[in-house]
Amino acid sequence: MGKLSISTFLAISLLPFLCLSFSPESPTDRRILVLLDDFSLKSSHSIFFNSLSSRGFDLDFKLSDDPTLALQRYGQYLYDGLIIFSPSVESFGGSLSLPGVLDFVDSGRDLIIAADESASDFIKSIATECGVDFDEDPSAVVIDHKNYAVSQTEADHTLIASSGFIESDIILGKAKIEAPVLFKGIAHSINPTNSLALKVLSASPSAYSANPNSKLSSPPLLLGSSISLVSVMQARNNARIMITGSLDMLSNRFFRSGVQHAESSTKYDKSGNQQFVTELSKWIFHERGHLKAVNLRHQKVGETDEPSMYRIKDDLEFYVEIFEWSGKSWEPYVANDVQVQFYMMSPYVLKTLSTNQKGLYHTSFKVPDVYGVFQFKVEYQGLGYTTLSLSKQIPVRPFRHNEYERFITTAFPYYGASFVTMAGFFIFSFVYLYHK
């Protein structure tokens, strides 16, 4: 047997890793690259990382300046998720760069960015490209003189106790988060031109972003509920992104810490951080809110085979099956707002699909009296769900010359008018010729 070349040997060696890429059939069987400023974060944030590992994710920890960093090799991505816990990094090591991170997201993969007061312009520029703008003042942090947490020794107005959760069971889970989330870090806002980003944890109306060690000389640029503490974005290719200005929010210390809310004086034995971050990470990594549509089909009423074309005014039936990933298996997705369009330049038919509660959606309608090339289109966008965009092309022909009715009912008045005209002409001619 001949010797293998180095490139062939490397390709074979990496094959098992390349095969672990994201699959819509098994959304949780994935590898995640975790970039750290310091390996001490691996222990200080171990509860979060252990939660991911226990749910079947394979975490690969590396320093952000590691000279061997790479997201892809031989044209194949090595990872399906990226977590950046290195707020102060000025540039990544190896072949990883800002365009590389954006290409990673453009390929449909997921991203988590956690910053803090030391956030570099490089990290902020990645967030900006994702539709989120951090406060331009490098010394500014989120301050709230009402909704802050009180410890046993002091009242820290930069330690925010927030309960401004987004109202979405898909993003944050069905179990209500009772305790507020502890947040200590920098503020950001969502770019108003970005319709895909959402605030999942908002600051209170009394919050603002400023330097806590200096007096305000001008009104803060970010204040009130416009401040987002944690934001998410689902791209059009269903890649999901989470951005927060607090690395401490994901730490073991904040996960285990009790909370005493300053304004209400309510005490909680444990903050809501662990539940909030765990449930949000399930959404980010497609363990919840991930849909797939299969078996899109159509047929004439009373038939079972799919035709190659329809004739105008045919009666047809349309079917599609939609399932949701539960974290372990595919379950039927049940909703009453899934629609199908019969589309040519614009929708000629728009029908809401009925469901049998087992994942099958169906409807029936009459082909419009317009011939051309149509499409069955299903475009579904539910809050927190992956976008479904399906289409199937089908031509529609007019009646053939021998398929029209012999006598058209709507033309009976014209038939009558013709015979009345002939009878009138006959009577007129008879009277004219024989009347003296």
Side-chain angles (χ1 to χ4, degrees):
M1 183 181 295
K3 294 183 178 179
L4 293 175
S5 66
I6 295 177
S7 60
T8 304
F9 174 76
L10 288 174
I12 295 174
S13 302
L14 289 168
L15 185 60
F17 298 99
L18 299 180
C19 292
L20 287 173
S21 60
F22 174 77
S23 168
E25 295 301 321
S26 182
T28 56
D29 184 17
R30 298 189 293 171
R31 283 172 53 85
I32 299 176
L33 175 62
V34 183
L35 299 181
L36 308 173
D37 269 342
D38 190 282
F39 276 125
S40 62
L41 290 171
K42 188 176 178 180
S43 58
S44 64
H45 292 65
S46 61
I47 296 177
F48 172 63
F49 294 133
N50 290 338
S51 172
L52 293 176
S53 299
S54 65
R55 302 200 313 261
F57 291 93
D58 184 8
L59 305 183
D60 187 8
F61 295 91
K62 291 188 177 181
L63 293 176
S64 56
D65 58 356
D66 190 323
T68 64
L69 279 184
L71 289 177
Q72 59 177 318
R73 192 165 296 164
Y74 301 110
Q76 298 290 329
Y77 279 103
L78 302 173
Y79 305 96
D80 295 280
L82 176 61
I83 298 176
I84 302 177
F85 280 6
S86 50
S88 62
V89 66
E90 296 292 344
S91 63
F92 293 127
S95 61
L96 188 55
S97 61
L98 172 58
V101 174
L102 299 180
D103 289 341
F104 184 78
V105 174
D106 287 341
S107 68
R109 288 160 171 82
D110 306 318
L111 172 66
I112 292 179
I113 299 176
D116 59 15
E117 298 90 330
S118 65
S120 64
D121 291 338
F122 178 70
I123 292 297
K124 290 182 178 179
S125 64
I126 297 177
T128 300
E129 293 292 337
C130 296
V132 166
D133 298 317
F134 280 106
D135 195 328
E136 296 179 357
D137 186 349
S139 60
V141 297
V142 181
I143 303 172
D144 195 329
H145 298 302
K146 287 187 176 181
N147 296 280
Y148 60 92
V150 179
S151 66
Q152 295 180 351
T153 57
E154 61 178 347
D156 187 355
H157 291 209
T158 64
L159 180 59
I160 311 301
S162 175
S163 297
F165 307 113
I166 187 174
E167 294 183 3
S168 172
D169 292 346
I170 300 303
I171 296 178
L172 294 183
K174 295 181 179 180
K176 183 180 179 181
I177 304 174
E178 300 291 345
V181 170
L182 293 176
F183 179 97
K184 187 178 180 67
I186 57 177
H188 68 268
S189 61
I190 294 177
N191 192 316
T193 62
N194 188 343
S195 60
L196 302 175
L198 298 169
K199 290 187 289 186
V200 293
L201 185 66
S202 304
S204 72
S206 58
Y208 62 95
S209 177
N211 185 342
N213 299 319
S214 62
K215 294 183 178 180
L216 288 175
S217 58
S218 60
L221 296 177
L222 295 177
L223 72 162
S225 299
S226 64
I227 294 177
S228 180
L229 307 180
V230 181
S231 298
V232 297
M233 186 186 80
Q234 179 169 275
R236 301 189 191 280
N237 61 1
N238 290 325
R240 291 173 174 175
I241 302 169
M242 167 187 160
I243 298 176
T244 178
S246 174
L247 186 57
D248 288 335
M249 186 190 73
L250 299 98
S251 67
N252 297 352
R253 182 166 62 92
F254 277 31
F255 277 16
R256 295 170 176 154
S257 176
V259 180
Q260 180 180 349
H261 197 277
E263 186 175 31
S264 63
S265 299
T266 306
K267 293 183 179 181
Y268 299 90
D269 295 333
K270 186 179 179 181
S271 71
N273 289 51
Q274 185 171 355
Q275 182 182 354
F276 172 76
V277 172
T278 300
E279 294 300 325
L280 184 55
S281 68
K282 289 180 180 179
W283 182 83
I284 291 294
F285 293 121
H286 293 261
E287 295 173 84
R288 191 171 52 239
H290 184 87
L291 302 179
K292 75 169 181 178
V294 296
N295 296 334
L296 186 151
R297 62 189 187 277
H298 53 86
Q299 63 201 35
K300 292 182 181 179
V301 172
E303 299 183 4
T304 56
D305 295 332
E306 188 173 294
S308 59
M309 69 172 61
Y310 287 104
R311 189 190 67 184
I312 59 173
K313 297 186 178 181
D314 275 346
D315 292 312
L316 64 83
E317 297 173 321
F318 174 83
Y319 300 90
V320 66
E321 295 178 53
I322 303 178
F323 297 94
E324 179 182 1
W325 181 252
S326 67
K328 296 180 180 179
S329 61
W330 291 104
E331 304 292 340
Y333 176 66
V334 179
N336 57 5
D337 58 349
V338 182
Q339 296 181 322
V340 62
Q341 303 176 46
F342 198 56
Y343 188 93
M344 183 178 69
M345 303 297 288
S346 62
Y348 279 77
V349 176
L350 178 62
K351 296 277 288 186
T352 299
L353 301 178
S354 302
T355 178
N356 65 350
Q357 308 295 314
K358 297 180 180 179
L360 178 64
Y361 290 79
H362 60 91
T363 190
S364 59
F365 59 88
K366 188 180 290 289
V367 176
D369 192 4
V370 179
Y371 58 88
V373 179
F374 282 80
Q375 283 184 328
F376 294 97
K377 294 180 69 173
V378 176
E379 294 184 343
Y380 184 71
Q381 296 179 343
L383 177 63
Y385 289 102
T386 51
T387 301
L388 295 178
S389 182
L390 307 169
S391 63
K392 202 167 191 178
Q393 189 168 286
I394 188 76
V396 174
R397 65 172 178 84
F399 285 110
R400 296 192 181 97
H401 69 281
N402 60 349
E403 290 179 327
Y404 288 98
E405 298 178 11
R406 184 62 176 171
F407 294 101
I408 302 175
T409 304
T410 54
F412 279 177
Y414 300 97
Y415 300 153
S418 299
F419 286 110
V420 169
T421 301
M422 288 189 287
F425 180 75
F426 176 78
I427 294 172
F428 172 78
S429 301
F430 181 83
V431 172
Y432 182 79
L433 292 174
Y434 297 102
H435 185 266
K436 292 182 179 181

